[in-house]
Amino acid sequence: MFDPRYHDLPGDWHAEAQRLRPARQTEHAGVLEWLLPIPGVLTDPPSDLDVPVNTFEDPNASIVHLEHELLADRLHALLNQAPTRVWDSTNATWTTVMDEGPSVRPQDIMILINSRKHLPDLVDRLRARHIPVMADRQGLLLMQPVVQPLMSILALMAHPTMRKAAVEFARSPVVGMTERQVHDALLSLEEGVPVIPHLIQHAPTEGVQQLLIRLQRLMQWGAVYDVFDAVLDESDLLVAYPDDAQRQFAEGWLTIVQSIGNDTGHDAGAVYRRMVEIRELGRQGPQAITEPNASAIQIMTIHGSKGLQAPVVVVSGLFSAGKADASMSVQDNILVTPQVLAGRIQPWRAKDRPEDGLWAFAAEMNKAQDKAELRRKFYVALTRVKDRLIVTGSPGNQSTFDETTGALSVRFAPDPRTMGRMLVEGLRRATWCAASEAPWISAADLEADVLPRFVSQKFQTPLNPSALLSSASLGVDGLDGLRMYHHPDCFDAVQTQSPQQRARALATHLEELEPPQSETLTPLRLVENIKGAAHNLDATFNCMRSYWFEHVKGWPAEPFRLPNTAVKPSPPKTWPEPTTFGLMMHRVLEIGLRNPRSPLEGAPPLDASWMHEGDDDLSSLKTVERVMNEFGHGVDQPDGSREARWRDRLMHLGSLIDQGRLGRLVQGEPLDGWTVEAVRTELPFFHRHRLVLGEDGFSDHPVPGFNGAVVDHVNMDFSGRADLVLALVNEDGQGALQVVDLKTRGCLGAFNESTSAGGHPLQGVPSTELNVVPQSDEEAHILHEHRLQLALYSLALEAIESRKPSHQQRQILPPALLLGANGRMIQLSEGAFKQAKDDLETHLAWRASVHLNPDLEAPPQRISDPGTCQSCAYFMGDLRRCAPLGEPIGFVNPSDGSP
Ligand code: SF4
């Protein structure tokens, strides 16, 4: 194939031949088949639309249709292990061919095509025989049938009165109106009136009406993606387009919509505008690419098959592959090759172009290079196969098949620009090398010492496929022959249906369908696992609307910022970011807090994880220097630098904690009857909070049937780390655990080291005050703000303890906060702790209903509440998406900060 004899021009662009070493591990010989379609007696196509057209008798059928028909029949026989026949033209009979080797599954077959132009015809013919098939690409994603209705819904979300989208949507399988129904409905739709309510009034069935009502509600909420989910899950869209490829296209389209939504603030108008721009990209737009299905025939281009292999490979359209490429480049007026660039002109329209030597040279070179590339492609196509190679196509446009006389002939005149020509040249050479006989080589050529070049024949050559089976040796040590199938009679007859019959069969099937007997069905029982974060429990309890935004609307819980308006990096600040400083302080506590490690005999035992060594001074320079170094500020900080201030502040806060209740407890001092035995910092936990549903669902938040299934119970999963857990024991030897969470509010700019009265309000109570009850409004407020988070940590500890034998269990004390600003520990009272647990339970039940109840409406806006709203992600940013009741929302004016 790569022999220099085929080089039209010398050049370094030609591939070189190399020895192939097959790695097949089977005793069965490989098989070469040639599907060479030759029509029989032509008749007028039937006028009855219920009679399928026989392609091989149809005078209008093209050679491509014949090839595809023959290929579909061949693959049907192969998959069903049916015997095949080849024509014996000497005796005018059929010779049966038995297949050996393992059975073939659809996924073992790969069909290689040179262009996708005729792909739909091939797919249709395979599907008509119920052969599962999947093409790697099927044109443009936005032109796929499953995507069109989704686009029309997006259009209606962006422009609720758009009539064009209304027509598309009404005719789609989602609504399923007939032409007349669409016409009647739209005639009564006045200009400028929203479409969806009108379609609800004119819905063809009650089911569609319910779906449209639901879609309308989701659209009103702005739950853009839930609208598409509802359409895909609940409408007939995927029933009308049931193949896996269409499902993948719908998913691919949704992925694009979601990524555009992330960039544009999830606004349907902006998303639609961008999707229209993408559609207008035409061929440059996103392609309809599919992931191969595990049990379907793969169709792909030769180019796309590089690196792949399959037991059965079909190379189709060989005798047209290459024709179009060559004729296209001839039409160009500029030719660019790696070596030379040439143009041609036509100054006088009425006359021929002037002759141009450079153009003639470049055109020849381009042709030679295209051919060399085509040879490489042909080589790739032929070498993808493991066991059975099937090539399709006819080498000439004149052929004869007469079943009565036995005559079968074809003219070997393949177009010199095509892969088919390469195939014929290759077969000639293989036969010549084997000194065998075959119709594609003449007796004179066989006798020649050097094989003459192939010349297209001007006459018909008789064929005898039966003789070719075993007496047409190909190459030295090659195959004994090949199987040539030329007509559907070579295979068992396959009953196919005309398009009208198929439509009728589908309609009958749908009419005969009995509605499922719902009472006999056992509903599927589901367990839902929902992940959550402990840190925002209190925030979403205070304003449930924010949780609804995040999980129903799909808005990320971050302020929305317009592109290119990112704040310029500000000059170094006096203090680090509060979160960074918080992390530094947590680290100081982690490595500097003294661990008493003095378990009391008789108290519930503590495992080895509690017995780690701990420094005994939070305010030690060694501890703080280590933390400064870990956060990238070096071991030493020059005097007067801002880093030195941070270091001194950490040490100061550490000394406050050392003086306070925690410092005294870890020094072994009993307080309120409790002594600390050991401490654990950064205790990791995973907590699964199980919410059991009663018969009617959650008592306050009923959950309807979940797509026909029953939600048995819901697991709310939380994982994280508790800052500090104290293991305590009282005078009676009773053991307890207590969660302590460090808060560093008021520890930076507002903090006053010299006079607490002039500093942050939290500094109002001194560290030496040992009472755990909040002593100021500020203390009470911060404790209340974090009570659900603290309750969750405590519940996690309770769950861990409950799994131990009863004599090893410890009581869980009400959780506490450790305030960095005054070094105090303040804890929830027993009553507040119980109330926090109850509120947590209610809130988690509500969170579960957000995920399970599609009809749950948005919680109301808060009544004017500067504290909660101003720190809310949906209030901040360049676009105010929510605000306290009565306040405006919209894009924020940068000059005055108002929407
Ligand atoms: S802005 Fe206020 S009302 Fe709106 S979600 Fe945020 S906290 Fe709730």
Side-chain angles (χ1 to χ4, degrees):
M1 223 174 100
F2 293 134
D3 194 290
R5 71 206 298 269
Y6 300 123
H7 297 180
D8 292 341
L9 283 178
D12 56 4
W13 57 77
H14 296 290
E16 285 179 17
Q18 52 182 302
R19 189 119 202 104
L20 290 177
R21 294 185 212 295
R24 298 175 68 233
Q25 291 175 337
T26 166
E27 72 275 14
H28 299 291
V31 179
L32 174 62
E33 298 183 5
W34 187 350
L35 306 186
L36 195 162
I38 300 177
V41 182
L42 301 182
T43 56
D44 283 339
S47 52
D48 182 355
L49 294 181
D50 279 331
V51 178
V53 175
N54 182 336
T55 313
F56 272 70
E57 292 174 2
D58 180 6
N60 302 319
S62 73
I63 186 71
V64 176
H65 295 147
L66 299 179
E67 258 185 73
H68 288 171
E69 183 75 3
L70 199 57
L71 176 57
D73 279 343
R74 174 63 191 120
L75 294 183
H76 183 267
L78 189 61
L79 292 169
N80 291 288
Q81 290 181 283
T84 59
R85 297 173 281 278
V86 294
W87 185 240
D88 181 347
S89 47
T90 315
N91 303 314
T93 55
W94 293 97
T95 305
T96 302
V97 184
M98 294 307 292
D99 261 324
E100 291 174 0
S103 58
V104 176
R105 302 162 304 168
Q107 59 267 42
D108 296 333
I109 302 175
M110 183 157 81
I111 301 179
L112 303 182
I113 51 175
N114 189 56
S115 90
R116 298 180 195 279
K117 187 172 165 199
H118 302 292
L119 182 61
D121 180 71
L122 177 58
V123 171
D124 277 355
R125 288 177 198 272
L126 290 169
R127 291 215 173 116
R129 288 159 180 79
H130 308 293
I131 298 175
V133 57
M134 200 164 214
D136 62 343
R137 279 166 195 251
Q138 294 184 20
L140 295 172
L141 179 65
L142 269 64
M143 290 296 136
Q144 296 304 314
V146 75
V147 164
Q148 308 289 339
L150 296 175
M151 273 301 277
S152 62
I153 301 170
L154 180 59
L156 287 176
M157 273 193 260
H159 306 287
T161 60
M162 193 196 264
R163 295 178 79 88
K164 178 170 169 282
V167 176
E168 276 176 15
F169 186 50
R171 288 168 57 179
S172 74
V174 180
V175 181
M177 282 185 176
T178 62
E179 289 294 327
R180 173 155 297 283
Q181 286 169 330
V182 174
H183 182 76
D184 292 345
L186 287 191
L187 265 188
S188 56
L189 175 65
E190 285 172 26
E191 206 61 46
V193 172
V195 168
I196 296 284
H198 194 73
L199 287 183
I200 290 174
Q201 281 173 17
H202 292 81
T205 65
E206 202 189 317
V208 170
Q209 190 174 47
Q210 291 305 320
L211 175 67
L212 290 175
I213 291 172
R214 185 155 141 57
L215 294 182
Q216 185 186 30
R217 186 175 322 127
L218 291 169
M219 286 179 190
Q220 282 165 353
W221 290 350
V224 179
Y225 313 115
D226 287 352
V227 172
F228 301 125
D229 285 348
V231 167
L232 293 172
D233 288 347
E234 294 167 32
S235 81
D236 283 347
L237 188 59
L238 291 180
V239 178
Y241 304 113
D243 61 300
D244 196 37
Q246 294 295 327
R247 184 188 55 74
Q248 291 191 28
F249 298 150
E251 282 173 4
W253 182 86
L254 256 179
T255 308
I256 297 179
V257 165
Q258 272 173 347
S259 83
I260 293 176
N262 287 339
D263 290 349
T264 54
H266 309 280
D267 174 68
V271 175
Y272 176 65
R273 224 173 15 252
R274 291 275 282 277
M275 289 306 284
V276 170
E277 283 167 14
I278 290 178
R279 190 168 59 190
E280 285 167 1
L281 289 176
R283 295 172 57 126
Q284 312 303 320
Q287 301 288 312
I289 302 173
T290 49
E291 285 293 318
N293 182 306
S295 56
I297 291 181
Q298 305 291 313
I299 305 184
M300 61 181 73
T301 56
I302 297 173
H303 191 73
S305 72
K306 281 184 186 166
L308 304 177
Q309 55 179 353
V312 179
V313 169
V314 179
V315 188
S316 75
L318 276 184
F319 291 87
S320 54
K323 237 190 227 175
D325 308 349
S327 56
M328 260 158 59
S329 61
V330 168
Q331 292 163 9
D332 291 340
N333 286 324
I334 292 182
L335 276 178
V336 181
T337 73
Q339 292 77 17
V340 61
L341 185 150
R344 60 176 173 177
I345 53 169
Q346 187 165 22
W348 306 284
R349 281 228 157 266
K351 295 190 178 179
D352 289 344
R353 296 172 194 273
E355 288 195 357
D356 182 334
L358 182 61
W359 174 265
F361 171 67
E364 283 306 311
M365 188 171 285
N366 191 44
K367 219 165 34 176
Q369 288 179 350
D370 281 352
K371 216 177 212 177
E373 177 57 22
L374 196 66
R375 270 186 194 282
R376 276 195 285 273
K377 256 166 96 176
F378 187 43
Y379 167 82
V380 169
L382 299 190
T383 50
R384 300 305 94 202
V385 69
K386 284 194 201 165
D387 298 328
R388 185 187 301 262
L389 176 65
I390 303 175
V391 295
T392 75
S394 176
N397 52 9
Q398 303 248 327
S399 50
T400 324
F401 172 46
D402 188 335
E403 205 163 344
T404 343
T405 63
L408 181 66
S409 66
V410 70
R411 191 160 86 184
F412 282 95
D415 190 304
R417 298 167 296 183
T418 61
M419 286 186 188
R421 169 74 166 239
M422 295 171 196
L423 175 72
V424 175
E425 284 171 345
L427 289 174
R428 275 181 85 236
R429 185 157 181 86
T431 310
W432 181 79
C433 288
S436 177
E437 281 184 12
W440 40 79
I441 186 163
S442 67
D445 288 350
L446 270 176
E447 295 299 317
D449 291 338
V450 177
L451 179 65
R453 293 198 65 148
F454 174 74
V455 183
S456 287
Q457 294 176 356
K458 297 199 168 44
F459 49 87
Q460 303 266 108
T461 303
L463 292 179
N464 187 355
S466 176
L468 290 176
L469 275 180
S470 57
S471 59
S473 298
L474 297 171
V476 182
D477 301 331
L479 294 171
D480 290 338
L482 55 78
R483 300 179 188 181
M484 185 179 278
Y485 299 108
H486 72 286
H487 195 272
D489 288 348
C490 297
F491 314 108
D492 289 350
V494 185
Q495 279 303 323
T496 56
Q497 292 179 315
S498 72
Q500 179 161 291
Q501 276 177 309
R502 284 208 295 270
R504 271 195 217 289
L506 181 61
T508 316
H509 175 71
L510 291 176
E511 271 165 23
E512 286 170 358
L513 270 185
E514 294 277 328
Q517 301 294 320
S518 50
E519 63 275 9
T520 58
L521 293 177
T522 316
L524 182 66
R525 301 194 79 81
L526 293 179
V527 174
E528 278 291 303
N529 295 333
I530 299 169
K531 274 193 187 160
H535 68 86
N536 67 359
L537 276 171
D538 291 273
T540 61
F541 178 76
N542 284 339
C543 180
M544 300 198 282
R545 192 173 169 83
S546 59
Y547 190 83
W548 189 90
F549 279 151
E550 189 179 350
H551 294 274
V552 176
K553 283 211 173 208
W555 290 354
E558 288 162 15
F560 178 81
R561 306 232 175 260
L562 288 171
N564 307 324
T565 57
V567 187
K568 289 201 191 90
S570 48
K573 291 187 191 145
T574 323
W575 293 103
E577 288 296 324
T579 41
T580 312
F581 188 79
L583 290 173
M584 292 165 85
M585 193 62 212
H586 277 82
R587 186 69 181 135
V588 169
L589 188 74
E590 187 184 351
I591 58 179
L593 186 69
R594 180 168 189 271
N595 184 6
R597 294 190 291 155
S598 50
L600 190 82
E601 211 163 309
L606 294 167
D607 66 30
S609 62
W610 289 87
M611 295 303 144
H612 65 92
E613 282 189 37
D615 291 347
D616 57 359
D617 196 356
L618 283 176
S619 54
S620 94
L621 187 60
K622 196 171 109 218
T623 306
V624 174
E625 276 178 350
R626 185 173 150 193
V627 173
M628 291 297 286
N629 195 27
E630 284 178 4
F631 279 78
H633 305 301
V635 180
D636 293 318
Q637 293 76 37
D639 283 347
S641 67
R642 58 194 189 113
E643 284 79 8
R645 279 185 80 185
W646 304 354
R647 178 200 61 205
D648 295 344
R649 177 61 53 83
L650 287 173
M651 287 175 58
H652 183 83
L653 298 178
S655 69
L656 287 179
I657 295 172
D658 275 339
Q659 290 160 20
R661 183 182 175 92
L662 179 66
R664 292 170 69 164
L665 277 170
V666 296
Q667 290 295 337
E669 185 178 335
L671 289 174
D672 300 335
W674 292 99
T675 310
V676 170
E677 292 175 285
V679 299
R680 277 203 67 180
T681 51
E682 299 296 322
L683 178 90
F685 72 89
F686 170 80
H687 180 56
R688 167 160 283 181
H689 197 84
R690 194 167 187 267
L691 296 163
V692 183
L693 307 181
E695 289 219 325
D696 306 324
F698 300 112
S699 49
D700 291 345
H701 308 285
V703 175
F706 191 54
N707 284 345
V710 173
V711 180
D712 208 29
H713 66 266
V714 179
N715 292 323
M716 304 293 284
D717 292 342
F718 294 90
S719 59
R721 285 171 183 271
D723 292 347
L724 177 64
V725 180
L726 305 179
L728 304 118
V729 66
N730 65 10
E731 288 118 5
D732 306 331
Q734 192 189 358
L737 296 176
Q738 184 177 33
V739 168
V740 182
D741 204 56
L742 171 65
K743 297 292 169 204
T744 51
R745 181 181 297 172
C747 292
L748 294 175
F751 189 84
N752 192 323
E753 277 184 29
S754 45
T755 54
S756 51
H760 190 273
L762 276 175
Q763 289 184 257
V765 188
S767 60
T768 46
E769 171 58 64
L770 302 183
N771 194 338
V772 290
V773 177
Q775 300 295 308
S776 67
D777 287 351
E778 199 67 23
E779 284 190 348
H781 186 66
I782 192 169
L783 185 59
H784 186 78
E785 258 180 46
H786 296 95
R787 65 200 182 94
L788 295 199
Q789 183 187 1
L790 291 172
L792 182 90
Y793 291 162
S794 302
L795 285 176
L797 284 187
E798 273 180 17
I800 295 171
E801 289 302 300
S802 68
R803 288 193 286 271
K804 295 181 181 169
S806 57
H807 67 281
Q808 291 184 8
Q809 289 180 7
R810 285 173 176 257
Q811 172 194 354
I812 306 300
L813 295 182
L817 284 187
L818 174 63
L819 303 177
N822 61 6
R824 268 176 47 71
M825 256 176 79
I826 49 174
Q827 95 183 28
L828 291 175
S829 67
E830 288 288 351
F833 184 33
K834 181 174 178 317
Q835 182 62 48
K837 287 201 269 190
D838 290 348
D839 287 348
L840 179 65
E841 181 86 15
T842 313
H843 185 54
L844 293 184
W846 177 82
R847 276 191 174 193
S849 63
V850 170
H851 293 270
L852 301 181
N853 184 353
D855 296 327
L856 193 76
E857 301 226 10
Q861 287 160 278
R862 289 184 70 82
I863 317 226
S864 186
D865 176 0
T868 308
C869 288
Q870 277 171 12
S871 58
C872 171
Y874 304 115
F875 183 86
M876 299 190 291
D878 297 329
L879 174 64
R880 188 167 297 169
R881 291 174 284 176
C882 184
L885 193 64
E887 289 192 24
I889 57 172
F891 280 102
V892 174
N893 187 340
S895 55
D896 62 2
S898 66

